[in-house]
Amino acid sequence: MSQNKQLGFDTVCIHGGHQLDAKRAHLTPIYATSTYTFDSAEHGDAIFSGKTPGYAYGRFGNPTVNEAEDRIAMMEAYGIKDEQGNPLQLKAILHASGMGAITTMLLGNLKAGDKMLSHHSLYGGTQELLDKVICNLGIEIIIIDFHDIEKVKATIAGDPAIKMLYIETPANPTIQCVDLEELTKIGKAHNLIVCADNTFATPYLTQPFKYGVDFVMHSTTKYLNGHGTAVGGILIGKDIDRMKTVINKTKNLLGANSNAFEAFLLTNGLRTFSLRMERHCTNGEKVAAFLAAHPAVETVYYLGLASHPDHATAMKQMKHAGAMMSFELKGGLDAGKRFINSLQLLTHAVSLGTCDTLLSHPASTTHAGVPREKRLEFGVSDGLIRMSVGLENVEDIIADLTQALANA
Ligand SMILES: *Cc1c(COP(=O)(O)O)cnc(C)c1O
């Protein structure tokens, strides 16, 4: 597809990165192959050394995987100009999971003696990766509150060993949203590597490259796939040479690559991404308004509500507040369990961003093993319910919530 003409974003979600198949299949097939053939010793040498574009081995690259990578790179770069005023070029590398993409980003950029600075509300898996794996490699993790911009400035200015600013926004459990523009400005002023986990917002709502970040990560398992059919992750970078060399090599050597089948499911999901996001947003807004007015609900954490502490920041950097929210029931832990057990239509499951509405009760599931004190400190109160509002008719979502709240 020509990259010269600026196509609409919806069109990019459908056609972006597609190349005519050798057998003229309409959709890029699932290239289920572990290796590729060479014409000659010279051809093999040229491909292996990167002088000629082509595929050598499944862990390094695959045409089905490549299509997903190119499409998502175009979506994240959409409408953004580089420093020369040309359309921003990005390179994306698909991974086995969001955690795989985050691991490549960290290990491809940090070494022993480096420090990284992050916010106290991160995805649980990321927090554990930092606490249980990365910190054992001589890399120090500093966690502060990114809402406190002065504290961020002082921390960075006072410690030259800090090499990276790791941002995730919005984030669990209370859907916190920190200021991408301000944080990136501070990070870049000190020459830090700035990265953002954009899983919750997606490129539909926020484009972190607009603010000058170096890397964006996604769990494609969530909104990008959108149908809950595959686990995957993507790492996107603007330093194309570095992405093609050091970063790609890190992925290859970690063995964190994706595969053709899951990449196919992802590209298929991306075709309806814009349409899905539109509906997620309108449903999310209506469900949040319903919950905010319900007598059994103590608090609703939704970025679209003026009562959310990060409402103003969210409205500055997000096109819409999206469809992720959490809410506290007045009745605490028992009410939370009764509510979840009473759901008839909506799905009780972790994960997010799928067509169907997913609800989970962290205190009895993902955070049951965390001591109560610590859990409360993270904002996971006894009655907190997290919800990813899906694409069902909103009346049906609200009807199921209404009857489950009556039982709570
Ligand atoms: C799910 C998720 C991850 C991890 O992704 P996996 O695909 O499960 O490995 C990372 N960050 C955020 C914000 C997530 O929601």
Side-chain angles (χ1 to χ4, degrees):
M1 192 185 73
S2 160
Q3 300 216 351
N4 300 329
K5 199 167 71 202
Q6 181 62 76
L7 298 163
F9 183 79
D10 303 357
T11 310
V12 170
C13 294
I14 295 168
H15 294 279
H18 181 70
Q19 291 186 4
L20 183 63
D21 180 64
K23 304 287 186 200
R24 306 190 68 87
H26 164 218
L27 303 181
T28 301
I30 298 168
Y31 276 88
T33 184
S34 60
T35 193
Y36 303 83
T37 61
F38 306 126
D39 287 342
S40 62
E42 292 74 20
H43 182 223
D45 181 38
I47 286 188
F48 241 80
S49 64
K51 279 185 217 117
T52 301
Y55 297 97
Y57 182 58
R59 181 153 47 77
F60 310 158
N62 173 288
T64 322
V65 169
N66 203 29
E67 176 164 302
E69 293 173 335
D70 289 352
R71 187 171 302 168
I72 294 171
M74 291 170 76
M75 289 161 64
E76 277 292 352
Y78 187 80
I80 306 175
K81 298 270 193 282
D82 65 15
E83 278 141 31
Q84 284 74 46
N86 299 314
L88 180 70
Q89 300 293 313
L90 297 172
K91 166 108 184 102
I93 303 177
L94 195 63
H95 285 73
S97 65
M99 293 311 298
I102 292 167
T103 302
T104 295
M105 197 286 301
L106 293 170
L107 296 185
N109 287 305
L110 296 173
K111 58 180 189 322
D114 288 346
K115 298 183 185 179
M116 65 105 75
L117 184 64
S118 195
H119 178 60
H120 62 71
S121 173
L122 291 175
Y123 174 69
T126 306
Q127 188 68 59
E128 274 197 86
L129 175 69
L130 298 174
D131 289 348
K132 296 184 177 162
V133 181
I134 301 297
C135 70
N136 294 329
L137 306 176
I139 298 163
E140 192 182 319
I141 319 296
I142 306 171
I143 301 285
I144 59 171
D145 184 352
F146 276 0
H147 291 104
D148 187 346
I149 292 289
E150 290 311 314
K151 175 94 188 259
V152 174
K153 278 186 188 159
T155 307
I156 296 174
D159 196 341
I162 296 175
K163 294 283 151 60
M164 178 183 286
L165 201 61
Y166 187 103
I167 306 169
E168 177 185 325
T169 187
N172 274 330
T174 52
I175 325 295
Q176 294 188 15
C177 184
V178 294
D179 194 324
L180 263 174
E181 186 173 17
E182 278 295 314
L183 290 165
T184 306
K185 214 189 286 170
I186 299 166
K188 292 323 291 179
H190 288 83
N191 261 328
L192 305 191
I193 297 165
V194 180
C195 62
D197 182 334
N198 199 29
T199 301
F200 269 44
T202 81
Y204 187 82
L205 300 178
T206 304
Q207 290 173 283
F209 285 104
K210 217 194 285 187
Y211 305 107
V213 305
D214 300 294
F215 296 96
V216 164
M217 295 82 66
H218 284 277
S219 168
T220 61
T221 315
K222 317 289 168 57
Y223 285 107
L224 293 176
N225 171 297
H227 297 73
T229 54
V231 171
I234 199 150
L235 171 60
I236 310 147
K238 67 180 179 190
D239 182 340
I240 307 277
D241 281 346
R242 190 168 171 77
M243 286 301 289
K244 285 184 172 167
T245 54
V246 180
I247 303 297
N248 197 47
K249 184 62 102 180
T250 304
K251 179 268 293 176
N252 289 350
L253 296 176
L254 286 172
N257 55 287
S258 181
N259 62 78
F261 180 58
E262 289 182 299
F264 178 86
L265 295 172
L266 172 58
T267 43
N268 205 40
L270 290 173
R271 287 170 212 288
T272 55
F273 174 72
S274 278
L275 274 177
R276 287 189 283 106
M277 289 309 292
E278 252 178 65
R279 177 68 75 86
H280 276 301
C281 289
T282 51
N283 279 1
E285 199 170 309
K286 287 178 190 161
V287 170
F290 161 77
L291 289 171
H294 198 285
V297 176
E298 176 80 41
T299 320
V300 181
Y301 299 100
Y302 179 65
L303 289 167
L305 296 173
S307 58
H308 194 294
D310 299 332
H311 173 70
T313 305
M315 293 304 100
K316 197 174 80 162
Q317 69 196 33
M318 295 174 75
K319 190 172 144 191
H320 187 279
M324 289 304 302
M325 64 194 69
S326 60
F327 54 97
E328 275 173 42
L329 296 180
K330 285 189 178 147
L333 187 63
D334 288 340
K337 286 184 185 169
R338 280 194 302 269
F339 168 78
I340 282 283
N341 289 340
S342 301
L343 292 169
Q344 290 171 0
L345 174 73
L346 309 178
T347 308
H348 176 199
V350 295
S351 198
L352 59 109
T354 59
C355 298
D356 42 344
T357 297
L358 302 181
L359 291 104
S360 62
H361 179 222
S364 67
T365 56
T366 47
H367 290 67
V370 181
R372 186 164 181 272
E373 285 294 289
K374 207 153 185 153
R375 178 158 66 66
L376 293 177
E377 197 185 305
F378 295 158
V380 181
S381 62
D382 294 337
L384 190 79
I385 303 286
R386 191 188 76 175
M387 175 157 53
S388 163
V389 177
L391 311 178
E392 298 94 340
N393 288 95
V394 73
E395 299 76 18
D396 294 331
I397 299 174
I398 288 174
D400 200 30
L401 292 174
T402 303
Q403 66 78 23
L405 284 168
N407 290 324

